[in-house]
């Protein structure tokens, strides 16, 4: 906690505020990114477990949301236990999640429904169950009421829930303007990849916009895409020189 | 409203003969001969025998004289009935709790509230017919609102799968012949003599003269077909099936009451399972209503279960689907599919997720994990396995980065590229032109001729490309760009990188 009040009245008030916030900021119950700059912007020093988070792709790419899916895969790869991934359109390519975000295919159970409402139901049931490492749902729409229910279900069980917003056509992306009860909201856009000394595509880079953080403030980061253990990096040149060198060797 | 599936096995007797003697060539005509007194007549014929001129009801000697190489076998009605019973028990385990034999060559079942587990009525029925064909049995299936209509429709047409929408039974049956009414042959011939040809004509005729001449049977069958009289399907049961039931002197109807009695029955069921050392994979709740109709609910589990709270919760989860009508007089819980149950202490700290999966499965959701498949072709590189299967732990052997989203069907793109092995300079996908700044590749993927003969020489050259905005795509050119035999040299977009 950044401020420790000597006054018992203030610390009590702070405890009450923290309780009202659904325990989102309780110590030790966060999944940190391991990057000081990002973690500092998030209350508690990371993504709260037992909370709903929302991730969408940015710009025209939102319809495909490939970067957002990898970002989410990188987050859930760092949790323990089985992952439930609720969807209607099965187009995730597992070898990519494995190699690029460290999410092992044995850990992910996909639940495929025909209708969007069923995805919401599955999402909530998975969150309520309480034995999973994380629950991810690919959603087109996330109404306020539904997001509130999901947030409460996540709080009750302590499972991290991630709503991965996907749209079928660009006009539907306007739905992202509507508020939800999610604890954090992210938008992941693609940036041109890191330049390589040889022709070819370098490590992918994203612009991660933290649009909303409950009890926190908005921020944006230029990050290097997940590595093989699901960790993103802020300055990919310094952290992953080895990775870059291997890529360059592969391509040469 | 029940939804009745009638399965018709037109050549059950001859199919059984072929199954028993695989040496019989497919083109050999096979007929089954029934004996009544000293008369021997043809009772069942298969398709080659029909083509050769054999007809049901003709004297056996005539058929033998007419067709050379005819395979003639005496009828075995008991064997046929046993075969139907075996099939009915299989369907009881696989499809729905309410299955009955429709002797001599059919099976009838009520799939109301069970079809969603198979993806709906059409996939369920198609799957069923295909499964039977896989076992070497010709089969036709129909779904309608009543037993009578489903039975008639399955037998009257030559289509293999027919689904009559809810409430359209009357329209579907009016043009069927009177012989499809399940009446005795005497009555049918009597009606034919009087000039009745179709069910519609018969149903438009005043009942009283018909009843006077042929008895109450004609009116009863008509009412059953149109759903004016209920015709309950008495579910088939085996000796080893564990079933506990409770009858009520006063009919019950409130959901809480039903839940209470489900809880009591599950306790009895689990006690019975425990004495046998078994766990249950499929549990059926059958609700007998006072108006002589029955409803059923099924709860399936991924692993054998003997856990009272869990089973109760599963059965009670769809209690709102029960329509008690004027009241329920009997509830019965049956363990339709049982498997040995091992009590073992869980040493793993991870939580068992099967209760959650069972709850999804009973709502008809598809659950799977993905597993590597040995294949060079990317879309065949992934296979679905059961979510409760052993964790394999093996890794995907990919040296090249793969896209995180892959299109089910590669989409055509227009490109400007230097062939044979340069990534394109620009591409147009879904009407948007993109200049490509960087590219990796090609990664050559060869077709698998052992999977499809058309892929004998097929080649795909995959490139990863990045456009000016940083969007990264996985595209390929069909063919190696030199030899036209390897592909059309058209370009496709196959995946999107994150």
């Amino acid at each position: 906690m950044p401020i420790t009040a000597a006054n018992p009245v203030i610390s009590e008030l702070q405890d009450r505020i923290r309780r009202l916030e659904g325990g989102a900021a309780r110590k030790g119950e966060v999944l940190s990114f391991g990057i000081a700059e990002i973690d500092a912007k998030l209350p508690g020093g990371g993504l709260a477990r037992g909370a709903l988070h929302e991730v969408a792709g940015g710009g025209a790419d939102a319809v495909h949301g490939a970067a957002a899916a990898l970002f989410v895969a990188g987050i859930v790869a760092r949790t323990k236990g089985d992952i439930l991934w609720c969807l209607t359109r099965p187009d995730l390519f597992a070898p990519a999640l494995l190699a690029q975000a460290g999410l092992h295919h044995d850990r992910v159970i996909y639940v495929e429904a025909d209708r969007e409402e069923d995805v919401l139901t599955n999402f909530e049931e998975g969150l309520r169950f309480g034995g999973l490492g994380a629950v991810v749902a690919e959603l087109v729409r996330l109404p306020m009421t539904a997001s509130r229910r999901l947030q409460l279900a996540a709080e009750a069980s302590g499972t991290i829930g991630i709503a991965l917003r996907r749209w079928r056509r660009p006009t539907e992306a306007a739905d992202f303007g509507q508020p939800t009860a999610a604890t954090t909201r992210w938008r992941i856009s693609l940036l041109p990849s890191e330049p390589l000394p040889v022709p070819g595509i370098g490590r992918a880079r994203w612009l991660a916009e933290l649009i909303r953080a409950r009890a926190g403030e908005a921020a944006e980061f230029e990050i290097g895409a997940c590595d093989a253990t699901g960790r993103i990096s802020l300055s990919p040149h310094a952290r992953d020189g080895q990775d870059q060198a291997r890529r360059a060797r592969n391509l040469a | 409203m029940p939804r009745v599936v009638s399965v018709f096995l037109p050549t059950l007797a001859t199919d059984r003969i072929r199954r028993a003697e695989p040496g019989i060539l497919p083109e050999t005509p096979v007929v089954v001969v029934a004996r009544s007194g000293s008369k021997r007549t043809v009772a069942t014929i298969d398709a080659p025998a029909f083509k050769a001129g054999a007809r049901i009801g003709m004297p056996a000697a005539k058929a033998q004289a007419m067709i050379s190489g005819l395979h003639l076998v005496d009828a075995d009605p008991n064997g046929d009935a046993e075969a139907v019973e075996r099939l009915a028990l299989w369907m009881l385990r696989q499809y729905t709790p309410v299955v009955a034999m429709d002797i001599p060559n059919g099976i009838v079942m009520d799939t109301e509230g069970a079809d969603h587990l198979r993806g709906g009525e059409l996939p369920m029925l198609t799957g069923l017919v295909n499964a039977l064909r896989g076992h070497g049995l010709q089969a036709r299936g129909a779904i309608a609102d009543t037993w009578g209509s489903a039975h008639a429709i399955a037998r009257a047409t030559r289509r293999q799968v027919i689904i009559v929408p809810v409430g359209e039974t009357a329209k579907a049956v009016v043009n069927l012949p009177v012989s499809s009414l399940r009446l005795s042959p005497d009555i049918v011939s009597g009606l034919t003599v009087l000039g009745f040809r179709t069910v519609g004509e018969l149903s438009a005729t005043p009942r009283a003269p018909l009843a006077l001449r042929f008895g109450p049977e004609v009116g009863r069958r008509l009412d059953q077909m149109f759903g004016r009289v209920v015709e309950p399907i008495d579910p088939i049961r085996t000796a080893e099936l564990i079933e506990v039931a409770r009858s009520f002197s006063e009919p019950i109807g409130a959901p809480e009451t039903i839940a209470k009695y489900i809880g009591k029955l599950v306790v009895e069921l689990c006690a019975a399972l425990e004495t046998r050392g078994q766990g249950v994979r499929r549990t059926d709740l059958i609700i007998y209503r006072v108006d002589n109709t029955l409803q059923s609910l099924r709860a399936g589990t991924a692993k054998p279960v003997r856990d009272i709270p869990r089973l109760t919760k599963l059965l009670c989860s769809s209690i709102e689907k029960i329509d008690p009508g004027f009241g329920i007089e009997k509830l019965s819980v049956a363990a339709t599919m049982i498997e040995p149950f091992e009590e073992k202490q869980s040493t793993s700290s991870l939580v068992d997720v099967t209760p959650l999966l069972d709850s999804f499965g009973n709502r008809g959701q598809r659950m799977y994990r993905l597993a590597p498949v040995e294949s060079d072709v990317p879309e065949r590189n992934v296979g679905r396995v059961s979510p409760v299967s052993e964790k394999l732990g093996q890794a995907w052997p990919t040296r090249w980065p793969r896209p995180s989203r892959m299109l089910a069907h590669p989409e055509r793109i227009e490109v400007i590229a230097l062939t044979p092995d340069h990534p394109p300079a620009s591409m147009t996908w879904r009407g948007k032109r993109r200049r490509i700044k960087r590219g990796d590749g090609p990664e050559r993927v060869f077709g698998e001729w052992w999977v499809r003969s058309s892929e004998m020489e097929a080649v795909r050259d995959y490139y990863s490309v990045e456009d000016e905005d940083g969007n990264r795509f996985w595209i390929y050119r069909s063919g190696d760009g030199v030899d036209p035999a390897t592909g059309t040299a058209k370009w496709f977009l196959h995946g999107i990188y994150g």
Side-chain angles (χ1 to χ4, degrees), chain A residues 64 66 82 91 93 96 100 105-106 108 110 112-114 122 125 138 166 190 192-193 200-201 204 250, chain B residues 359 363 365-370 372 384 391-394 399 402-406 438 440 466 471-472:
Chain A
H64 319 299
D82 285 326
D91 62 350
F93 194 48
Q100 287 161 49
H105 54 93
D106 272 351
V108 188
Y110 297 90
E112 192 185 316
D114 293 325
N122 296 344
E125 204 173 335
E138 295 185 5
R166 287 189 79 191
L190 287 164
S193 63
I201 302 176
N250 266 350
Chain B
S359 142
R363 281 194 282 113
Q365 318 285 322
R366 297 174 289 280
M367 291 162 298
Y368 50 89
R369 284 207 315 255
L370 297 175
R384 289 183 176 188
K391 300 202 170 182
L392 303 166
Q394 68 201 99
R399 206 173 76 109
R402 294 285 186 226
S404 48
R405 299 264 183 212
M406 192 151 95
R438 303 191 182 96
D440 279 343
E466 180 179 315
N471 294 309
R472 287 174 281 273

Side-chain angles (χ1 to χ4, degrees), chain B residues 19-333:
Chain B
R19 272 180 56 135
E21 291 178 48
I24 301 174
L25 296 174
E27 59 271 17
T28 308
V30 179
V31 300
V32 172
V33 173
R35 191 189 290 273
S36 83
S38 60
K39 267 205 293 193
R40 292 175 76 232
T41 52
V42 173
T44 313
I45 55 174
D46 63 355
F50 181 84
K51 220 184 261 172
R55 294 291 179 270
I56 289 172
M58 69 163 37
K62 184 179 170 190
Q64 214 164 6
M66 215 167 73
I67 303 159
S68 64
L70 183 69
H71 195 90
L72 216 94
V73 184
D74 278 338
D76 176 15
N78 291 333
D80 291 345
E82 277 166 25
V84 172
E85 187 177 1
R86 276 199 302 275
L87 285 173
L89 288 173
W90 169 72
M91 289 180 199
L92 173 70
R93 276 193 294 274
Q94 294 295 324
Y95 289 93
T96 164
V98 184
V99 178
M101 293 193 282
D102 196 357
I103 292 293
N105 51 10
I107 291 155
V108 67
M109 55 189 185
D110 181 356
T111 57
E112 169 70 26
D115 55 88
H116 70 278
L117 297 176
R118 297 264 166 184
E121 291 187 338
L122 183 63
M124 175 183 72
L125 198 56
T126 320
L128 171 59
V129 169
N130 286 344
L132 290 172
R133 286 166 67 87
H135 289 290
L137 294 168
Q138 293 298 317
R140 284 182 232 153
I143 302 185
D145 287 346
T146 63
W147 183 346
S149 52
H151 178 101
I153 291 160
R155 281 153 183 80
T157 62
R158 302 200 64 80
R159 270 169 59 195
Q160 286 186 334
V161 169
I162 295 163
I163 292 169
V164 180
V166 176
E168 294 190 9
T169 303
K171 224 194 294 178
V173 296
V174 281
N175 288 323
L176 296 180
V178 283
S179 59
S180 60
L181 271 170
R182 290 181 290 163
L183 292 164
S184 71
D186 296 343
I187 299 180
V188 172
S189 62
L191 288 168
T192 317
V193 166
L194 288 181
F196 290 111
R197 286 180 298 112
T198 66
V199 172
E201 286 169 14
L202 196 62
S203 68
T205 311
R207 285 287 170 80
L210 281 176
L212 208 57
R213 181 152 185 160
F214 298 107
E217 195 64 12
V218 178
R220 194 166 66 91
R221 288 298 191 197
L222 278 173
D223 285 343
Q224 283 176 344
M225 178 176 263
F226 287 100
R228 290 185 287 251
V229 167
V230 292
E231 187 176 11
I233 299 169
D234 191 19
I236 186 173
R237 288 289 177 251
T238 52
E240 64 262 35
L241 189 102
I242 304 171
E243 186 169 18
V244 291
R246 182 172 292 228
S247 304
F248 310 106
S249 49
E250 198 66 30
I252 63 166
E256 306 83 53
T257 326
I258 300 172
K260 186 178 86 183
Y261 284 107
I262 290 175
K264 288 184 177 178
L265 286 169
V266 169
V267 172
E268 284 178 42
L269 185 81
C270 289
L273 286 167
E274 197 162 357
T275 57
R276 302 192 192 193
Q278 304 275 25
V280 67
R281 289 276 315 272
R282 297 233 206 299
T283 320
D284 293 335
L285 172 70
I286 302 183
I287 302 128
Y288 297 82
R289 299 199 317 199
V290 286
D291 57 358
N292 201 14
T293 57
L294 50 86
Q295 280 182 296
S296 59
L297 290 177
R298 166 165 283 185
T301 46
K303 286 180 182 166
V305 183
R306 204 164 67 205
D307 180 347
I308 296 168
R310 199 168 139 191
L311 274 180
T312 314
K313 193 176 162 220
L314 275 181
L315 284 173
C316 289
S317 64
S318 41
I319 216 161
E320 74 271 15
K321 284 193 201 147
I322 299 175
D323 171 20
F326 296 111
I328 295 162
E329 59 178 10
K330 185 180 165 192
L331 281 177
S332 132
V333 173

Side-chain angles (χ1 to χ4, degrees), chain A residues 40-228:
Chain A
K41 295 282 181 189
L42 294 163
L47 286 179
R49 294 176 198 265
L52 176 70
H53 303 278
E54 215 184 326
V55 181
D61 187 59
V63 180
H64 319 299
L70 269 184
F71 180 73
V72 169
I75 292 169
V76 298
R78 290 181 282 119
T79 61
K80 295 244 176 335
D82 285 326
I83 312 289
L84 198 71
W85 200 297
C86 315
L87 38 74
T88 49
R89 267 195 300 174
D91 62 350
L92 279 172
F93 194 48
L97 298 187
L98 178 64
Q100 287 161 49
L103 183 57
H104 199 275
H105 54 93
D106 272 351
R107 289 179 59 202
V108 188
I109 299 169
Y110 297 90
V111 183
E112 192 185 316
D114 293 325
R115 297 179 309 148
E116 173 95 5
E117 300 87 81
D118 289 338
V119 175
L120 272 177
T121 318
N122 296 344
F123 191 12
E124 189 180 332
E125 204 173 335
L127 282 175
R128 255 184 223 296
F129 182 71
L132 297 158
V135 186
V136 182
E138 295 185 5
L139 292 166
V140 178
R141 291 166 45 74
L142 183 62
M144 187 62 173
T145 327
S147 69
R148 219 175 259 146
R149 286 185 64 112
L150 293 167
Q151 170 71 26
L152 288 173
E155 277 172 21
S157 69
T159 311
I160 190 165
I162 301 181
L164 178 55
R165 307 293 303 273
R166 287 189 79 191
W167 295 282
R168 279 159 209 279
R169 48 195 77 85
T171 49
E172 282 174 339
D175 191 57
F176 201 52
Q178 303 294 321
T180 63
T183 304
T184 62
R185 257 185 151 190
W186 296 82
R187 188 157 63 195
I188 311 297
S189 328
L190 287 164
L191 292 176
S193 63
E194 279 171 41
L196 285 180
V198 291
I201 302 176
R203 181 177 177 169
R205 291 194 312 139
W206 299 329
L207 175 69
E209 294 164 88
L210 177 58
I211 299 173
R212 181 197 132 95
R214 190 194 286 183
E217 51 191 297
E220 59 182 62
F221 316 96
E222 276 189 23
I223 55 175
C226 297
D227 63 11

